[in-house]
Structures are given as C-alpha cells and as structure tokens.
Amino acid sequence: MPSERPSRTATKIAGFMLLLDSVPRLAPVLPSGAAAAAEAILRASGAVRRLDVELLRTRLTVRFYEVTESLLGRGQLLWFGVRKRWMSEVVEQAIAEGARQVLVVGAGFDPLAVSVARRHPDVTCVEVDAPATAEPKRAGIQGGGLARPNHVVLAADLATTSLEAVLGAADWRADVRSVVVAEGLLMYLAPAQVSAFFAQVRACTCPGSRLAFSSMDSDEEGQPRLLVAGRLLGRAIRSALRLAGEPLRWGIAPSAVPAFLTAAGYRVLDQPTPRRLRERFLTPHGLDEEPLAPYEHLVLAEVPDSAG
C-alpha cells in the first residue's frame, strides 16, 4: 500500500545536502547552488518542520554527525556530495552533447531537475516520484520561487503505471535525445522491477540517450551489500531501512554491470572508480586525505544505435 507520507530517504538525503554544505571544507564538493535550492524546497514543501531544517545547519548537529561517522565509518556524508556532483556533471555533459530532455526518476527533494531547467531553458526537465513525495516537492518548488516553464514534477506510482504512460502528461518525446537519472533508487526495487525500469526507460528514449544510475554491490547470495560497512553494521542498516518501510532489495556487482546492461539494450559509457572520483572531485579542493566511503558504485550507460 502506497505511503501517505513523503519518503524518509528523500527527506534524509536532502537534509544531508544541507549538513554537508554546513561543513566549510566539504561544501565545495556539492554542485553549485544545490544546497540552497534543496533548502528552499524543503522549507516550502511542508514535508519537514522549518525548525528541523534550521537545526541541520547548526554546529551542534554537524558535530553530532561527525561523532556518529567516527563510530560507524567516516566519509559517508562526503559520498553523498560526490555522488550528487557526478550526477550533475554527467547531465551537463549529455546536454552539451545534444540531449534536450532530462528525466529524474525517484527524485525525492533533490534540486537537480529544477536547477537544470533554470540553466537550460531550452531543455525539457521532468521528474517523477510517488505522490506522497512528488506533491510536497511540487509545492516546495513553487513556494521556493524555483518553478520554471520547462520543468514539471509528475506524481505516479511506477509499480502500477508504466513510465511511458506517466511521461505522456509531460509531452515527453521518445524521439528526442535524453538523459535519465536514477540516483539512490534501484536498490529499493525488487529485481523484476529493476528489469522493468530499464526496459521502460529504453522504450521512452532514442539512440544516443543516456542513463546515469547508482547501485549497491551484491553479496554471494545476490542481496544488496553496503560496500563500506562490515557485516554487522550492514545488517543493522538493512534492518533499520526495513523497519522504516524502505528495505534494500537489489544490488549488482560492478563486474556484472556490462553484461546486465547489454542484455537490457544499453552499453556502458563509464563506471568511475573511487580513485577517479577522488581525483576528479576531492583533489581540486585539497581533500586528498579526506575519508570517502562510497557504499555504492556509479554507472553511465547509453542507448546505442542499431549498429552499436
């Protein structure tokens, strides 16, 4: 039964952006303006109390999180920033190379789509999420003064409605080169839903379109595995998510990604290693020695043409 409350993960991730932005040495890793936009959306959405938003930026909260990370593993908060920076840059690169539509699935309260819409008024930007999250997100964008004519938030349960049917409400064109983002989403879907997702994205996009996604690794039993967590901590986190109604359901080993994508009708363009991500996003800011805990891996795929 669909939840009537916004996704806890969605509000948590948006909160982490504000928290990261409140740490001066780490804030530059985030996409420019992302934290401010996320804060404006949260404040106007009604999904989070304003006092809770303000608390995320206090030194006491930052210190509490630093202590928590020292116990559970440092670098997890920074990983959120690196992941979001990578997603933002692959979208910008796709647009620079001809994409004219952006689709963010399971967008939560992330400002990526509306930020792209502001920078590129000639690019159609669409985001889709469950109604309990999409509706306050829409209110947050409107109330935060971030609405753009080339941006739309669609509320839909993709477990019961096809992506193609949902996108029909946004004048989406399957013959226009696009870039699709599924950040922090696939691990919450059952294997059959993951396969259906890749097939539906493929049906709604044309050759040359791209799909950027994050995924957890899988263990020997095929269950999603936190890359940086020990077995005990990993089980504790999985249990906590299950109790919150958002259990981890799918993962794939990085080495298995190329074959999986080929079977789904895609080809891999990039699978950045933690070392490459560190060199690209941390080194320029003097953060070479900063702990980074990438509990997922990132993938950029492309819909090949018939000859590809």
Side-chain angles (χ1 to χ4, degrees), residues 15 25 27 33 45 79 102 119 121 140 153 160 185 188 191 197 204 208 211-212 229 237-238 274 277 283 299:
R25 74 178 190 283
S45 70
W79 169 248
V102 174
R119 290 192 298 270
V153 179
T160 58
L185 169 69
Y188 298 108
F197 171 78
C204 294
L211 170 59
I237 293 174
R238 288 171 60 177
L277 291 169
T283 299
V299 182

Side-chain angles (χ1 to χ4, degrees), residues 215-219 225 227 250-258 260 271 297:
S215 174
M216 287 188 173
D217 199 352
S218 61
D219 60 22
R225 179 179 67 179
L227 292 176
W250 184 77
I252 185 171
S255 60
V257 167
F260 173 84
Q271 284 184 270
H297 50 99

Side-chain angles (χ1 to χ4, degrees), residues 275-296:
R275 180 176 178 177
R276 282 177 53 206
L277 291 169
R278 177 178 289 280
E279 292 173 347
R280 182 172 173 181
F281 300 122
L282 302 188
T283 299
H285 301 293
L287 299 173
D288 273 322
E289 303 303 319
E290 193 71 31
L292 181 66
Y295 61 86
E296 305 159 286

Side-chain angles (χ1 to χ4, degrees), residues 7-91:
S7 162
R8 293 184 183 181
T9 298
T11 55
K12 179 186 71 176
I13 296 302
F16 281 169
M17 293 180 69
L18 273 61
L19 188 59
L20 185 64
D21 191 55
S22 300
V23 182
R25 74 178 190 283
L26 305 182
V29 175
L30 285 167
S32 178
E39 181 172 1
I41 292 169
L42 282 178
R43 285 181 177 275
S45 70
V48 180
R49 295 186 310 166
R50 292 200 171 200
L51 176 60
D52 291 337
V53 175
E54 292 166 4
L55 286 174
L56 287 167
R57 289 195 175 277
T58 65
R59 180 57 196 163
L60 181 62
T61 301
V62 172
R63 180 57 183 158
F64 174 78
Y65 196 86
E66 289 173 343
V67 171
T68 302
E69 270 207 346
S70 70
L71 297 173
L72 301 180
R74 295 182 61 199
Q76 296 178 60
L77 181 62
L78 184 56
W79 169 248
F80 283 108
V82 168
R83 188 179 79 178
K84 292 197 171 296
R85 182 67 170 272
W86 184 83
M87 291 288 177
S88 176
E89 291 201 359
V90 297
V91 168

Side-chain angles (χ1 to χ4, degrees), residues 107-126:
F109 293 93
D110 188 89
L112 174 60
V114 73
S115 297
V116 172
R118 184 190 73 247
R119 290 192 298 270
H120 303 282
D122 60 330
V123 174
T124 298
C125 298
V126 180

Side-chain angles (χ1 to χ4, degrees), residues 195-206:
S195 296
F197 171 78
F198 279 95
Q200 290 181 29
V201 170
R202 181 71 177 79
C204 294
T205 55
C206 67

